[in-house]
Amino acid sequence: LQAFLKENAAQLTRPETRVISLVRFSASQLAPTLPVNEQEVQRQFNFRRDSLSEPERRTFVQIPAPNPAAAAQIAARLRAGEAPAAVARAFKVEPVRYEAQPRTAVVDRRAAAAAFALPSGGVSNPFQGDLGQAVVKVEGVVPGRAASLEQARPAIEAQLRQDAAAAQVLEQVERYEEATQGGQTMSEAVRALKLPIAASPPITRRG
């Protein structure tokens, strides 16, 4: 019997097991339980209003002109209904096209001012652009949309709760470390700080 036990010791020996106690510091679990300050919601909305809003966008073509007289002819032909591409070819210039772009995306500020002052289908008077005389024709307008507090509220409140939870969790970790380094056991520190703790069943090295 002893020989058999010795020969099969590996198969007959129960593996070492450990029971693990786990303290959780979870911002995601804490966040939904936290209140939100209404004044802070309003302050955040006011700060982020521009980024939350949709700017007006325009589709237009900018046709450069070699001189003021040519620019006047370009404007007249565009107002008469000629296609911008055909007019640009007639004057041997390369048109610059913007597709549904906000004002901030237009490189030439004077072109932007002219295009965003016109209705859809409108043709500007000749103007001095960054690279010389030019005319613009607006082909489409997508109205902007101002952000509202009620639409933005869920995202703002969620972010405020998450930020507050992250700060509280950091404080909990620091207080827990102070407690255990000061001589308290894990159980004592957890009870004092009202933290969730979980114990595993006996597990082997392989889990």
Side-chain angles (χ1 to χ4, degrees), residues 6-73:
K6 185 175 181 180
E7 182 179 348
N8 295 279
Q11 294 89 334
L12 296 174
T13 302
R14 295 182 62 186
E16 179 182 307
T17 61
R18 300 283 178 103
V19 174
I20 298 174
S21 294
L22 179 69
V23 182
R24 294 194 63 189
F25 301 89
S26 174
S28 61
Q29 287 190 343
L30 181 61
T33 68
L34 298 179
V36 173
N37 183 290
E38 182 60 29
Q39 291 182 341
E40 184 61 18
V41 172
Q42 184 67 56
R43 191 185 74 80
Q44 287 290 327
F45 173 72
N46 293 340
F47 179 74
R48 297 165 54 185
R49 188 195 305 266
D50 289 344
S51 63
L52 295 171
S53 299
E54 287 288 336
E56 180 181 292
R57 297 174 180 272
R58 300 220 165 187
T59 296
F60 67 94
V61 61
Q62 176 181 352
I63 301 179
N67 53 62
Q73 293 178 44

Side-chain angles (χ1 to χ4, degrees), residues 93-171:
V93 294
E94 189 68 29
V96 180
R97 188 171 185 80
Y98 291 90
E99 290 285 348
Q101 294 297 317
R103 184 168 182 157
T104 54
V106 181
V107 176
D108 190 328
R109 289 177 297 173
R110 292 184 178 88
F116 279 77
L118 294 167
S120 182
V123 176
S124 73
N125 292 323
F127 61 89
Q128 180 65 35
D130 290 345
L131 300 177
Q133 288 283 312
V135 177
V136 298
K137 179 177 182 177
V138 177
E139 297 180 343
V141 177
V142 179
R145 180 186 60 81
S148 71
L149 176 59
E150 291 314 305
Q151 289 175 327
R153 179 183 295 279
I156 292 175
E157 289 186 352
Q159 186 61 56
L160 289 174
R161 285 192 175 98
Q162 189 63 34
D163 292 345
Q168 285 198 25
V169 163
L170 180 60
E171 181 182 354

